[in-house]
Amino acid sequence: MSGAASTRAAGETEATGETEHAEETGDVVVTLDVGQEKELPVVPAGAGRTRDREMHAILEIGVRTGGTPALAAGPARGSGPALAEVLIVDTSRSMLHPAAKLHAAKDATVAALRLLPEGTAFAVLSGRFDATVVHPGPGREVMAVAGPAERAAAERAVRILDADGGTALGHWLDLARRLLDRQSASIKHVLLLTDGRNEHDHRAAMTLDTALEACDGRFVCDAWGIGDDWDADLLLRITRRLHGRAGAVRRESELPAAYEELVAGLLGTAVPELRIRLTRTPGTVIRQVKQVVPGEQELLATGPEPGGRGAEYVTRAWGEEIRHFQVVLSADPTGRETGEDLQLAAVEVAVPDFGRTVALPPPKPVLVRWTDDPLDASRQHPGVRRHELYQRASAAVARAYRAWLRRTEGRPEADRALGQALELAAELGDAQLLDALRRIEAAPGTGRVRDGLKDVDWQHLILSSAMTTPPVPPDEPSAAPPGTGTHAPPGTGTHAPPGTGTDGLVECPDCSWLGPADSVYCGGECGRRLKEAP
């Protein structure tokens, strides 16, 4: 235990020195912290409950530039353009109903073009049943180079766009891939706008599933919705696979400003690619690695495991920001000491050479301490618990939407699911999610779905429920506004959860999950509510 502690202290000292040096020299600084509750039960709570022996750790990874000019704002050490950008405009027939959608798409595309730095490789695509290169021109699978003349020509081509035909997103993305494959820029990005659903996938030269498989790892894609008939799940499916972010505007006139903000953020890219390396100890199994803040994204191991015990997970397009990742490991306590810190895996980050000097943190351990004390084994790291609450909130929103689609028959279930989502958002202290839910609620505090909703109202809520924030540090006030239904500490209210004892634990009466006494919902397989509404 002392060895692990001294290693951590030395690593923190080394990281601090690297940070100070980087800030003095203008280097990019990458930071890494591992958060976890180390105790796992020697004896699982129930037969076959392998989840009881899973270690969930939260990796907090940050990037700071220390005043270094943004990578995408100009070439790195004379190596050529750092950014290659493809702008895809939906020009299907529905963009004319109303025509304000197409006008806004043109204005937003022009606004984005004007922000591209000199020398940036770029192309504009028109998407229908197929995809066409609007600029530099049809039939040419090449990209233009940003400069006054090329921007002016691209703007003219965008301004005369018309709309017709259907929507087949797979072909659009595949053409973007073919264009970007010929570019050497360290940042390859696609900005896709659509007002509809992928209704003509069966008519496409390439289906969306096939295109996503071909495009994975080739570029980052942000996808935006406009109008009243886009599909939030479709946008999330694309962006989660292609390491981007999904968004939408409520009014067409908001799109140009949203594009300007998005491109400005893209130009602030500090690190085009960052790899998380996990090296497991013998007997440890890597179950899952996923991003949980600012949104959930499954990460898949790339390439063979070096030496048979390591795996790499690629993340892309980092600005000056902090992201959280959840790592799930499992191990067998047979023959292991109890009450001692044992290493399950080592975590480190790596950044490929892209023309900047990067200060990296030292590796950090993921530890386990086997215990036969159920109270110790029941503790959850705040970041792990927070992500579980977000998952339940998102699932509640999905249930409410599906029930709402059944109209009168589904209204009671829609109300119940909305009420649960509101309670979870309040417990999370997520003001943005609460605001999105209250746009759906009939009146504050009712927990009922309001009348007169449109499908697009739910699509905006689904996108909002997919966005996550980190936990509030203990010394900072909660972000939850007053009166949002946050739960009182255990013992202060009249509704005690089922199975609460004097040992600070609660047992779910349905699936026998054992957890902290202040748990509002079961953390086991059933997920039932353990407390009555306050």
Side-chain angles (χ1 to χ4, degrees):
M1 184 171 179
S2 59
S6 63
T7 300
R8 181 179 177 86
E12 288 171 349
T13 302
E14 183 178 345
T16 301
E18 287 174 340
T19 301
E20 291 173 353
H21 171 71
E23 289 174 350
E24 291 173 359
T25 61
D27 293 337
V28 177
V29 181
V30 179
T31 59
L32 167 66
D33 286 304
V34 178
Q36 60 173 133
E37 293 291 345
K38 295 178 287 189
E39 289 79 7
L40 287 182
V42 173
V43 180
R49 295 288 299 278
T50 56
R51 287 195 306 171
D52 289 340
R53 288 179 177 171
E54 288 182 347
M55 174 54 65
H56 293 247
I58 296 293
L59 313 182
E60 183 179 292
I61 301 176
V63 170
R64 292 205 301 272
T65 61
T68 305
L71 172 66
R77 290 208 280 252
S79 59
L83 172 65
E85 177 70 20
V86 175
L87 301 165
I88 303 180
V89 183
D90 185 337
T91 55
S92 60
R93 185 179 296 110
S94 59
M95 287 289 284
L96 293 175
H97 306 286
K101 290 187 290 188
L102 186 59
H103 294 320
K106 293 178 181 181
D107 289 343
T109 303
V110 168
L113 288 170
R114 291 174 178 174
L115 288 175
L116 295 180
E118 298 290 307
T120 298
F122 77 96
V124 181
L125 307 187
S126 164
R128 300 181 181 179
F129 289 123
D130 57 6
T132 305
V133 179
V134 175
H135 186 82
R140 302 175 57 196
E141 291 193 5
V142 296
M143 297 181 70
V145 178
E150 287 292 344
R151 284 198 202 90
E155 288 186 27
R156 288 193 297 271
V158 168
R159 291 298 183 193
I160 62 173
L161 281 173
D162 198 0
D164 197 10
T167 304
L169 298 177
H171 193 74
W172 308 0
L173 290 170
D174 188 58
L175 178 55
R177 177 193 62 80
R178 297 200 304 270
L179 290 168
L180 290 169
D181 275 351
R182 303 183 182 190
Q183 300 298 316
S184 60
S186 54
I187 303 171
K188 298 179 182 181
H189 182 262
V190 171
L191 179 49
L192 183 153
L193 175 72
T194 182
D195 77 324
R197 301 162 191 265
N198 197 33
E199 296 172 325
H200 301 99
D201 197 49
H202 62 286
R203 294 182 53 176
M206 178 173 286
T207 65
L208 181 58
D209 282 338
T210 305
L212 290 175
E213 184 71 28
C215 296
D216 191 7
R218 304 296 186 90
F219 55 80
V220 172
C221 178
D222 292 327
W224 277 67
I226 188 173
D228 291 338
D229 197 33
W230 49 273
D231 182 353
D233 287 331
L234 174 64
L235 300 186
L236 290 169
R237 178 182 164 200
I238 293 170
T239 54
R240 284 171 172 166
R241 185 65 183 270
L242 301 181
H243 296 254
R245 300 186 186 183
V249 290
R250 293 185 180 274
R251 292 180 294 273
E252 286 85 357
S253 59
E254 297 172 347
L255 188 64
Y259 262 40
E260 288 178 349
E261 183 178 353
L262 205 156
V263 174
L266 175 66
L267 298 181
T269 301
V271 175
E273 179 181 301
L274 185 149
R275 293 175 177 258
I276 301 171
R277 289 178 179 167
L278 290 178
T279 304
R280 57 186 180 84
T281 57
T284 299
V285 177
I286 302 172
R287 296 291 183 189
Q288 187 180 47
V289 178
K290 61 182 176 181
Q291 177 181 287
V292 294
V293 174
E296 183 172 322
Q297 181 182 70
E298 191 80 18
L299 300 182
L300 302 178
T302 58
E305 295 187 349
R309 289 195 292 114
E312 283 193 343
Y313 300 84
V314 178
T315 65
R316 303 185 191 280
W318 286 72
E320 192 157 0
E321 61 180 308
I322 294 175
R323 301 182 194 176
H324 290 191
F325 302 85
Q326 185 171 356
V327 173
V328 182
L329 308 172
S330 64
D332 187 346
T334 305
R336 303 288 185 174
E337 294 291 334
T338 60
E340 293 188 7
D341 285 357
L342 303 172
Q343 182 166 311
L344 290 176
V347 184
E348 59 183 316
V349 293
V351 175
D353 181 25
F354 61 94
R356 297 281 193 265
T357 304
V358 181
L360 297 174
K364 298 287 182 73
V366 179
L367 305 173
V368 66
R369 183 185 298 155
W370 296 107
T371 179
D372 53 11
D373 185 332
L375 181 59
D376 288 343
S378 72
R379 296 190 182 102
Q380 271 188 313
H381 184 268
V384 175
R385 177 168 172 75
R386 188 172 183 80
H387 179 56
E388 289 183 0
L389 293 177
Y390 270 117
Q391 286 183 314
R392 294 176 194 172
S394 181
V397 167
R399 286 198 304 276
Y401 173 55
R402 289 195 299 269
W404 176 82
L405 289 173
R406 304 202 312 269
R407 302 193 181 279
T408 303
E409 178 190 351
R411 178 56 72 91
E413 172 58 24
D415 289 344
R416 284 193 297 272
L418 177 63
Q420 182 179 354
L422 283 161
E423 288 184 14
L424 288 164
E427 187 173 353
L428 286 161
D430 189 322
Q432 183 173 4
L433 179 55
L434 277 167
D435 179 66
L437 287 164
R438 285 173 179 153
R439 288 174 176 262
I440 299 293
E441 192 179 16
T446 63
R448 294 196 302 272
V449 175
R450 69 178 172 87
D451 296 327
L453 288 173
K454 297 179 180 179
D455 190 87
V456 70
D457 297 317
W458 289 97
Q459 301 307 317
H460 280 286
L461 177 57
I462 291 168
L463 282 192
S464 294
S465 70
M467 299 171 63
T468 58
T469 61
V472 178
D475 57 344
E476 293 185 15
S478 170
T484 55
T486 51
H487 298 280
T492 61
T494 59
H495 301 286
T500 301
T502 58
D503 56 359
L505 296 176
V506 61
E507 182 176 355
C508 175
D510 287 350
C511 69
S512 300
W513 173 79
L514 197 65
D518 62 346
S519 300
V520 180
Y521 292 92
C522 170
E525 297 173 357
C526 71
R528 63 158 283 178
R529 185 159 64 184
L530 300 178
K531 284 185 178 181
E532 295 298 327

